[in-house]
Amino acid sequence: MSDHIVDLISAYMDNELTKHERQRVEEHLYDCPECFAIFNDFMMLKNDVLETFRSIEVPETVEETVLQAIRNQVPSNPSRERYWLFVPLLSSLLVFVIIFTLVGSFTFKFAFVGWKVFMNLMFAVGSLLASDPYLTTGLIGFSLMLMIGSGFSLTLLLKQNQFRRNQI
């Protein structure tokens, strides 16, 4: 049976072959009575299966019955299922504790150095502002203008928002 096309018959019946392969199978089925008999057996089997499925009548209530059964289904052990929710939380907490323990002293030193740098920068900015009165006056004036402009902008925004609420 090495020259026979038995392995291609199912694909032929399901239209899964290329045009060239289909032509080769059709020619072989025309010439080979053994493969043609197998093809006929497959076709009869396929028709029997389709006919059987078509003859089965499904009650109209089957969908509602299945959905109702799913809704009424109670978990076998709800307390055990609830504890699985804590597994990711506890594992992430454990990872955080391990990392903080390993890197904690470095982090503390880094934060302390950052605080010192921040305080020194604040001192330097304060010293710079105090050394030039024009710079200080200009910065204060700019800050006041910025606050007044923000107040006007906020007032307009609140009025528009109130207007939109009244329209709805």
Side-chain angles (χ1 to χ4, degrees):
M1 266 207 163
S2 61
D3 293 340
H4 297 287
I5 47 119
V6 176
D7 53 336
L8 295 176
I9 291 177
S10 178
Y12 174 77
M13 291 172 54
D14 294 334
N15 291 324
E16 297 174 345
L17 299 177
T18 65
K19 187 176 180 180
H20 176 69
E21 290 172 327
R22 283 187 68 76
Q23 185 178 6
R24 194 178 116 216
V25 169
E26 288 170 355
E27 289 173 0
H28 185 81
L29 287 175
Y30 184 74
D31 294 336
C32 179
E34 287 179 41
C35 290
F36 188 72
I38 293 172
F39 172 72
N40 278 337
D41 289 342
F42 279 167
M43 285 301 288
M44 286 191 307
L45 182 64
K46 182 178 179 180
N47 290 334
D48 287 345
V49 169
L50 288 175
E51 193 174 308
T52 303
F53 276 122
R54 287 184 185 132
S55 68
I56 297 174
E57 290 186 30
V58 179
E60 292 178 14
T61 61
V62 74
E63 182 180 357
E64 185 59 37
T65 305
V66 170
L67 290 175
Q68 189 65 31
I70 291 172
R71 282 188 212 112
N72 293 338
Q73 200 173 33
V74 178
S76 59
N77 192 354
S79 62
R80 176 180 277 175
E81 290 174 7
R82 274 188 279 157
Y83 290 126
W84 279 103
L85 296 174
F86 294 111
V87 170
L89 179 65
L90 291 176
S91 59
S92 12
L93 182 64
L94 181 66
V95 167
F96 177 75
V97 167
I98 290 171
I99 290 174
F100 187 74
T101 303
L102 296 175
V103 186
S105 62
F106 174 74
T107 306
F108 181 75
K109 288 177 186 175
F110 183 72
F112 184 71
V113 169
W115 179 253
K116 279 180 137 180
V117 168
F118 175 73
M119 291 306 292
N120 284 332
L121 281 173
M122 292 304 294
F123 178 75
V125 169
S127 297
L128 179 66
L129 287 175
S131 67
D132 188 8
Y134 293 115
L135 184 61
T136 306
T137 306
L139 197 56
I140 290 172
F142 178 73
S143 299
L144 287 174
M145 287 178 19
L146 192 62
M147 285 191 289
I148 291 170
S150 296
F152 282 129
S153 176
L154 185 60
T155 304
L156 288 174
L157 183 65
L158 289 173
K159 284 181 183 177
Q160 287 177 351
N161 196 12
Q162 184 68 29
F163 178 72
R164 286 184 187 151
R165 268 195 246 142
N166 288 339
Q167 283 184 339
I168 297 174

